Amino acid sequence: MGTKKLTVIATSSASLESIQNSVISVVNQRRAKDQANNYIGDVFAVQHKAQFYVVDDDFVSTTKSGGNVLKTDYVTATKLGEELAKIPSSGTVTLDEDRVNELIDNKISTLDLDSKANVTDVYTKSEVDEKVATAASGGSVNLDGYATKDEVNNKVTQSIIVDKGEARIENEVTGGGAKFLGETYNSFAGVNDGGDDVYALMYARDKAKLGTRVWLNPNGAYYSKNSSTYESIEDNEIVTKKDIANLQASVDLSRYTTTDQLNLALSAKADKVMVDGLVTKIEVNEEIAKLATKDEITPINEKIVVIEESIEGLASKDEITVLASKDELTPINDKLVEIEALIPNFATSGDLAGFANMSDVRLELDTKADSTVINTLATKAELGNYALKSEIPTGVEVDDEQVARAVNENSKIQELSSAVANMASNLQGATYSQVVATMKYCGYDVPEDLTIYDPYNLKDRSGNVNLTLEIDSTYNNSYATLQNLKLIGSDGKVYTMAKYYNPSLTSATLYFVEKENVPKLVSEVEKVESNYEKQEGEIVVDIKTTSTYSGGYDAYRIGLDESSGWCSAGNAVGERVEIVIRDFIPAKISVRTGYEDSSHLITKCNFILSCGELMGESLIPNEGNKRRDMVISLQDIDVNSKGEGFVELAKAWNISPIAYVPNYFIGSISALVDNVSSENPFVFSFRGLDIHTDSYGTGVSNIEFFNESGERLYPKYAYLSSGDNEATYILTPKEDEKIDELANAPEDYVLLEGEKKVVAIRHSGQYSSSYGFEEFLLYTAQGAYNHEYLVGNNGNGLVDVEFRCDFIPSKLQYIQSPYGHGKATGYEAVVDGLQVATAMYAGGTYDYEVLDFSKAKVKIPKGSFNLDYEAVNRSDMGSEFDNNQSKVSIDINKLTSTITVTGDINNLQTYASSNPDQGIHKWVGIGIKTGFNSVEGVSVNGSVLDKSYDETAKVNGLSGGSFVFWFKADTDGSGRTLSLSKDGISKDIKVVFKQVDTSDIVVM
């Protein structure tokens, strides 16, 4: 095996280590291509030199064998440096030539070079000396392959170019020049000496692109930029070193201090001095000059004294605050105006003097009729409705039955009229609550609260806008279309789609820019890829739909006009379209529905808005039976979601609108759910939203959980734990422990560090045991179905599975039917009826869809109610009380304000309440913390608690602000609702009983 040396001259400014690593890489590449030779890299840097040896495995094994190579024959670079350092600068090193030759011979013999190299290719020193002597004496030498001097000169006159090297020489004989090509810089510079002229050239890396050129000749200096036209450089445009020296000499620096000196001086005065914030003495004097003098202030003081004297007798601020404000007086003034308008209609005392006295009238009536029966007599107006005897035709026969029926119906009418009159009379002056109670008694549904709100304004807010369109009804229960999406800014500017990225049929990212017209054709907008970066002035809009009609009606087409917009896959009732506008809050959002003939029309659309401090707010629906632009205003939002009729009713009762303030905060799930464990799990339902494609119902697979820190968890054990509708999974963060098939956990298995437990309960159907839900956490490849859960049940085959986790997942992801069975329009995560996360169908055949719990937002009610559970602790209640309290477990879900009492009803005992009216029941005492320091003033189902309830709480072992709710487990098991309120803040609590059958449990 031979050895080749590469000599590398590095002019880079990189570190020595970086240069060495680069050379090692080059040497290794050469060695890899040429296995027959070892390579040595000899590197010359600016101030460094180092050698690197690249050897093959044979050489390495030889050095390790210890038999052929003696380590004592070699010296390390460090050791060599130490030995050389011992030699004095004036000293010498003497080598014994005979000893050196002997060592070389021994080494050659030891290494057995004859067997490692072709001796015929090697010249001895004597042979080399002989050939040199022959050449020196004029003998013939074979110079094939070498260039003559003339050939070299001729080559130089043309050009010498080192490929990827560092130098160029061109046309030097004809006055050319030298150029330097810097590979690390995007430039090409050089000098061109064409006789008396000197050029300094600067090119781009592409030599054809000329940069800046400076031309110096005996007539002066000139420069050119990106052209061959030169402009003269005047003398006063050039500063020489001498000019700078003269300038420095003319400046007296003794009056100045350096930055370091200044910082040093200031450091003793303050920790940090912002010099930019200081002002000069001159600036201070200028500001002082603007201030008033003492003489100028004196007259002002005199005026102040006069003012103080003049305000004697005026009301103070405190006195004014107790007076009515202008706004408070306005209703009174309005009422006075109404009364003044009615005064002319009333008679004066003088006017009444001409009328008869009422007693005289009654006396006169008594002489003509019995006044006690006057109410039964008809008035003149009523008599006008009857025919005179002379008006009745003769010869007409009257049916007695018809007469009887008419009399009877008239009686009913009179009875109803009397009831209405009585009601109207009784309701005069009634409160609204009395009216509500009366109307409900009569079978009418009347709103109990008439609160209405002023328009809500999102102007000058920042952040995202999340707008969900829920399709309530469509024309002929058919398809729905949306197109012509526009954003209108608060300044009136209109923004429409200019670019789009569509990863699937049902999702898209649109890029809006300021322009008036919405594009009609795809050719008018630009399609971009997923790595596209938003440009300045662009607004990002994300679109998700629950379905899309195939064949060119994708979600992104909402940004186009006319019939080229988005279209649902079928009957759109119940479908949703989500629009997310990022980092921009427009004044209005406009989107069109329906074609020109009003087909494919959304006749009623609900809007759900989340923006700023608003979350999940229902706006007034948009309704119409013709093609139209649905416009949603975000500057004057009508939050009176009960409609115009409700507002009209409220105004009829003189209810004035008030400012809308959300009665909730926006927070995360973890802010409401605490103490999660196997005994108190985080429970949520995993449900399909609607059928997108129906093929044996819908299917799902590859369900993956992620722990609180976002780490993927893998199934370590998975098995059916109860019948065929409950499965248990032990999850691990270690990928090498995951299973590919079902496996039972060992009996009494204890979770290891980082492991989690999930229990799944199936509420939906199952096509067959071959598509069991217990396997849907295992891996299923694209196009396969070996671990897919398939619901079956065409037409109603949606997944509904309840998960119980001993942790709160950061997210859950899944793939819909990799094989091609039915797919849902999307999935939701629901916690006790509250939707906390959704994911739309991604549109592909093997795409993950994600339910993100870490980003899920929920409403946290405002106010002081911070509900919690406390255990009732009494020692004087008897054995029945002690038994019942010990036989149940009680926990509270703060997310849904639900208290769950869990136990076996058969193990509870009955006993009488201290209040005889409450009777004998299976009582369970529940301590409820309100979050207040005292329960005084708290209303529970209409009953207001007083201070005595705080004392009762102490007797029951509860803290202040708590009260005891005595729950009848035997009769209230289906649930009791407690409505709490205080100072305008309300909260409902639901208490339920959960039966756990313990009759089959045998205690050993």
Side-chain angles (χ1 to χ4, degrees):
M1 179 176 291
T3 301
K4 294 183 178 181
K5 182 170 75 171
L6 301 178
T7 301
V8 182
I9 301 175
T11 61
S12 172
S13 60
S15 65
L16 175 61
E17 181 180 2
S18 176
I19 295 172
Q20 291 175 348
N21 289 335
S22 298
V23 174
I24 291 174
S25 176
V26 172
V27 173
N28 282 333
Q29 291 174 7
R30 295 295 180 91
R31 175 68 178 85
K33 293 180 180 179
D34 183 8
Q35 297 291 332
N37 293 288
N38 289 325
Y39 279 79
I40 299 174
D42 202 0
V43 185
F44 292 86
V46 178
Q47 293 180 351
H48 311 286
K49 177 181 178 182
Q51 282 191 337
F52 301 87
Y53 296 85
V54 182
V55 298
D56 60 8
D57 293 337
D58 292 335
F59 184 85
V60 173
S61 62
T62 300
T63 58
K64 290 181 178 179
S65 66
N68 296 328
V69 180
L70 299 177
K71 293 183 180 180
T72 55
D73 291 337
Y74 295 87
V75 63
T76 64
T78 302
K79 184 64 176 176
L80 178 60
E82 292 174 354
E83 294 300 323
L84 293 176
K86 296 177 182 178
I87 302 173
S89 58
S90 61
T92 59
V93 179
T94 304
L95 297 177
D96 185 339
E97 185 176 353
D98 293 335
R99 177 57 179 159
V100 170
N101 290 334
E102 180 183 353
L103 289 173
I104 292 173
D105 292 340
N106 289 339
K107 185 58 61 182
I108 291 173
S109 175
T110 303
L111 295 177
D112 191 18
L113 294 179
D114 287 343
S115 64
K116 299 179 188 282
N118 189 351
V119 180
T120 59
D121 295 336
V122 180
Y123 290 104
T124 64
K125 184 176 184 302
S126 58
E127 289 174 332
V128 173
D129 291 341
E130 182 181 348
K131 290 183 179 293
V132 172
T134 301
S137 61
S140 62
V141 178
N142 184 9
L143 297 177
D144 292 342
Y146 294 87
T148 64
K149 182 178 180 180
D150 292 338
E151 290 173 334
V152 172
N153 289 336
N154 183 52
K155 186 68 174 177
V156 171
T157 61
Q158 298 175 3
S159 66
I160 298 177
I161 300 175
V162 181
D163 185 27
K164 292 193 179 294
E166 302 295 339
R168 263 177 207 271
I169 302 175
E170 296 184 354
N171 302 327
E172 185 174 357
V173 175
T174 60
K179 298 181 179 66
F180 170 75
L181 175 63
E183 284 291 338
T184 30
Y185 305 100
N186 291 326
S187 64
F188 179 85
V191 175
N192 185 355
D193 183 4
D196 294 332
D197 296 346
V198 178
Y199 296 90
L201 308 175
M202 284 165 280
Y203 292 92
R205 180 181 289 273
D206 182 357
K207 184 184 174 185
K209 296 179 181 178
L210 180 62
T212 302
R213 179 196 298 256
V214 177
W215 176 24
L216 305 177
N217 63 31
N219 296 322
Y222 306 87
Y223 72 94
S224 165
K225 184 176 182 181
N226 297 326
S227 73
S228 58
T229 302
Y230 291 89
E231 298 180 24
S232 175
I233 302 176
E234 302 298 334
D235 293 341
N236 58 8
E237 294 181 355
I238 302 176
V239 180
T240 66
K241 181 176 181 183
K242 182 178 180 181
D243 294 334
I244 296 173
N246 292 337
L247 179 61
Q248 290 175 335
S250 65
V251 178
D252 182 8
L253 299 177
S254 62
R255 297 186 298 107
Y256 297 88
T257 180
T258 65
T259 302
D260 293 338
Q261 292 170 336
L262 178 61
N263 290 335
L264 181 61
L266 292 176
S267 62
K269 300 296 183 182
D271 294 336
K272 183 177 182 182
V273 178
M274 300 301 295
V275 178
D276 292 339
L278 302 181
V279 295
T280 65
K281 182 177 180 180
I282 295 175
E283 292 171 328
V284 172
N285 290 334
E286 290 175 351
E287 293 300 318
I288 291 174
K290 299 176 184 178
L291 303 178
T293 65
K294 182 178 180 181
D295 294 337
E296 293 171 329
I297 292 175
T298 301
I300 298 175
N301 288 333
E302 295 173 354
K303 293 179 181 179
I304 292 174
V305 173
V306 173
I307 294 172
E308 289 176 347
E309 292 175 352
S310 66
I311 64 173
E312 289 295 331
L314 298 181
S316 66
K317 181 179 179 181
D318 293 337
E319 292 170 332
I320 291 174
T321 55
V322 301
L323 300 179
S325 67
K326 181 179 179 181
D327 292 338
E328 293 170 330
L329 289 174
T330 299
I332 298 175
N333 291 332
D334 294 342
K335 185 60 68 177
L336 288 174
V337 172
E338 294 177 14
I339 294 173
E340 289 175 354
L342 294 173
I343 286 176
N345 299 326
F346 293 94
T348 65
S349 58
D351 296 331
L352 294 175
F355 290 90
N357 186 280
M358 194 65 193
S359 59
D360 295 336
V361 172
R362 183 171 295 277
L363 181 62
E364 179 70 17
L365 286 174
D366 284 339
T367 61
K368 294 181 168 51
D370 186 358
S371 61
T372 59
V373 298
I374 195 168
N375 288 333
T376 64
L377 302 180
T379 65
K380 183 179 179 180
E382 290 171 336
L383 289 174
N385 296 323
Y386 293 89
L388 297 174
K389 183 177 180 181
S390 59
E391 295 174 334
I392 299 176
T394 58
V396 177
E397 296 183 0
V398 179
D399 189 337
D400 293 340
E401 183 177 348
Q402 289 179 337
V403 172
R405 189 185 310 118
V407 170
N408 185 48
E409 290 177 354
N410 184 60
S411 175
K412 288 182 179 180
I413 292 173
Q414 290 181 352
E415 181 181 346
L416 178 61
S417 176
S418 176
V420 171
N422 184 54
M423 180 187 297
S425 175
N426 290 333
L427 287 179
Q428 289 182 10
T431 63
Y432 182 72
S433 59
Q434 291 173 325
V435 173
V436 170
T438 303
M439 299 302 288
K440 283 191 173 182
Y441 178 78
C442 295
Y444 297 99
D445 186 17
V446 182
E448 296 185 7
D449 179 45
L450 290 180
T451 303
I452 55 177
Y453 302 100
D454 287 322
Y456 190 83
N457 203 324
L458 284 173
K459 186 178 181 181
D460 301 327
R461 308 295 175 91
S462 60
N464 298 344
V465 176
N466 292 64
L467 182 67
T468 298
L469 282 63
E470 289 189 340
I471 301 174
D472 188 85
S473 63
T474 60
Y475 181 73
N476 287 336
N477 290 327
S478 185
Y479 301 92
T481 61
L482 288 172
Q483 61 271 337
N484 211 50
L485 178 63
K486 295 186 292 187
L487 311 178
I488 298 93
S490 57
D491 54 1
K493 294 180 179 179
V494 178
Y495 299 83
T496 58
M497 181 174 70
K499 302 172 185 175
Y500 70 93
Y501 165 64
N502 60 322
S504 70
L505 297 176
T506 57
S507 64
T509 298
L510 314 182
Y511 298 88
F512 278 54
V513 298
E514 181 191 351
K515 61 178 182 178
E516 189 69 30
N517 297 321
V518 177
K520 292 181 178 292
L521 304 174
V522 177
S523 59
E524 298 179 41
V525 294
E526 178 185 353
K527 182 178 181 180
V528 298
E529 298 303 322
S530 59
N531 59 353
Y532 175 77
E533 295 185 2
K534 179 178 81 75
Q535 303 298 305
E536 184 176 355
E538 292 182 340
I539 300 171
V540 179
V541 179
D542 290 328
I543 304 290
K544 286 186 178 180
T545 64
T546 48
S547 76
T548 291
Y549 189 86
S550 60
Y553 297 91
D554 302 10
Y556 81 90
R557 303 180 80 95
I558 287 178
L560 298 176
D561 195 3
E562 302 299 337
S563 59
S564 57
W566 165 81
C567 183
S568 64
N571 182 358
V573 175
E575 294 203 19
R576 300 188 308 170
V577 176
E578 294 182 2
I579 301 174
V580 180
I581 306 169
R582 303 203 174 276
D583 300 319
F584 179 72
I585 299 181
K588 295 179 181 179
I589 302 171
S590 175
V591 63
R592 181 174 298 163
T593 180
Y595 295 151
E596 290 187 1
D597 61 355
S598 293
S599 61
H600 297 179
L601 177 72
I602 300 174
T603 53
K604 183 177 181 181
C605 186
N606 299 317
F607 302 108
I608 300 176
L609 175 68
S610 295
C611 182
E613 60 268 40
L614 301 181
M615 178 181 173
E617 292 284 352
S618 296
L619 308 183
I620 292 180
N622 183 284
E623 299 183 68
N625 56 8
K626 292 184 179 181
R627 179 178 188 236
R628 67 195 183 280
D629 288 333
M630 299 186 294
V631 180
I632 303 96
S633 173
L634 299 185
Q635 286 196 352
D636 294 311
I637 304 173
D638 191 344
V639 291
N640 296 300
S641 59
K642 296 179 182 178
E644 295 180 0
F646 176 83
V647 175
E648 184 178 354
L649 175 63
K651 289 182 176 180
W653 279 88
N654 296 321
I655 303 297
S656 299
I658 61 175
Y660 179 72
V661 178
N663 62 349
Y664 55 85
F665 297 107
I666 300 175
S668 62
I669 294 176
S670 59
L672 291 178
V673 181
D674 50 13
N675 301 321
V676 174
S677 63
S678 294
E679 293 72 29
N680 184 35
F682 171 63
V683 181
F684 70 94
S685 294
F686 174 68
R687 299 175 183 166
L689 292 172
D690 202 351
I691 298 288
H692 178 275
T693 306
D694 196 348
S695 177
Y696 299 95
T698 58
V700 67
S701 68
N702 295 76
I703 292 181
E704 300 172 2
F705 283 86
F706 292 74
N707 64 18
E708 300 92 333
S709 60
E711 190 177 11
R712 163 80 189 280
L713 298 174
Y714 302 89
K716 182 177 181 179
Y717 300 107
Y719 53 94
L720 284 170
S721 49
S722 178
D724 65 351
N725 64 347
E726 180 181 301
T728 298
Y729 308 92
I730 305 299
L731 307 179
T732 174
K734 299 178 180 179
E735 186 175 5
D736 58 354
E737 293 182 350
K738 73 175 179 180
I739 57 174
D740 295 321
E741 299 295 337
L742 294 177
N744 289 331
E747 190 174 356
D748 299 326
Y749 181 78
V750 178
L751 296 180
L752 302 179
E753 182 179 359
E755 293 183 347
K756 306 293 183 182
K757 181 180 179 181
V758 174
V759 175
I761 300 174
R762 176 174 58 84
H763 297 294
S764 46
Q766 187 164 283
Y767 180 68
S768 71
S769 58
S770 300
Y771 294 92
F773 83 107
E774 68 274 12
E775 299 186 34
F776 61 2
L777 263 68
L778 306 179
Y779 173 73
T780 300
Q782 185 171 10
Y785 56 85
N786 51 317
H787 299 305
E788 177 185 347
Y789 167 44
L790 186 62
V791 178
N793 192 16
N794 278 358
N796 192 29
L798 290 170
V799 173
D800 185 357
V801 176
E802 178 183 301
F803 286 111
R804 301 186 174 192
C805 312
D806 63 359
F807 67 108
I808 301 177
S810 59
K811 67 177 180 179
L812 177 148
Q813 65 184 28
Y814 57 91
I815 295 176
Q816 295 205 50
S817 186
Y819 182 72
H821 291 124
K823 293 178 171 60
T825 59
Y827 279 81
E828 64 179 355
V830 178
V831 179
D832 283 332
L834 177 65
Q835 184 188 79
V836 297
T838 60
M840 297 300 181
Y841 172 44
T845 58
Y846 199 71
D847 296 311
Y848 277 104
E849 296 163 17
V850 181
L851 292 172
D852 196 334
F853 292 100
S854 65
K855 295 181 180 178
K857 300 298 181 182
V858 293
K859 295 180 180 179
I860 303 174
K862 284 183 179 178
S864 300
F865 279 115
N866 184 15
L867 299 176
D868 209 339
Y869 159 74
E870 272 191 297
V872 177
N873 186 11
R874 292 280 295 269
S875 59
D876 59 343
M877 290 286 290
S879 59
E880 295 89 353
F881 167 81
D882 295 337
N883 173 79
N884 290 0
Q885 298 297 123
S886 65
K887 297 294 185 181
V888 297
S889 63
I890 303 174
D891 62 80
I892 184 169
N893 187 325
K894 294 182 182 180
L895 185 65
T896 58
S897 300
T898 302
I899 295 176
T900 303
V901 181
T902 304
D904 189 340
I905 194 68
N906 299 311
N907 292 337
L908 303 184
Q909 300 177 6
T910 58
Y911 61 93
S913 168
S914 59
N915 181 354
D917 294 337
Q918 296 292 334
I920 300 175
H921 291 283
K922 294 186 176 184
W923 295 101
V924 175
I926 303 173
I928 298 177
K929 295 177 66 174
T930 64
F932 292 100
N933 294 328
S934 169
V935 295
E936 184 179 11
V938 174
S939 172
V940 180
N941 288 347
S943 298
V944 180
L945 308 183
D946 57 26
K947 193 71 175 177
S948 65
Y949 280 85
D950 287 328
E951 298 301 321
T952 303
K954 293 180 182 179
V955 172
N956 286 283
L958 305 179
S959 59
S962 299
F963 66 92
V964 179
F965 171 63
W966 292 101
F967 181 63
K968 305 172 186 177
D970 51 340
T971 60
D972 295 338
S974 59
R976 280 285 305 278
T977 298
L978 304 181
S979 297
L980 277 60
S981 63
K982 181 179 180 180
D983 299 333
I985 304 166
S986 61
K987 187 76 173 179
D988 287 346
I989 310 173
K990 188 173 183 180
V991 184
V992 298
F993 185 83
K994 182 179 179 181
Q995 170 66 20
V996 177
D997 191 1
T998 60
S999 60
D1000 296 332
I1001 299 176
V1002 178
V1003 180
M1004 303 299 291

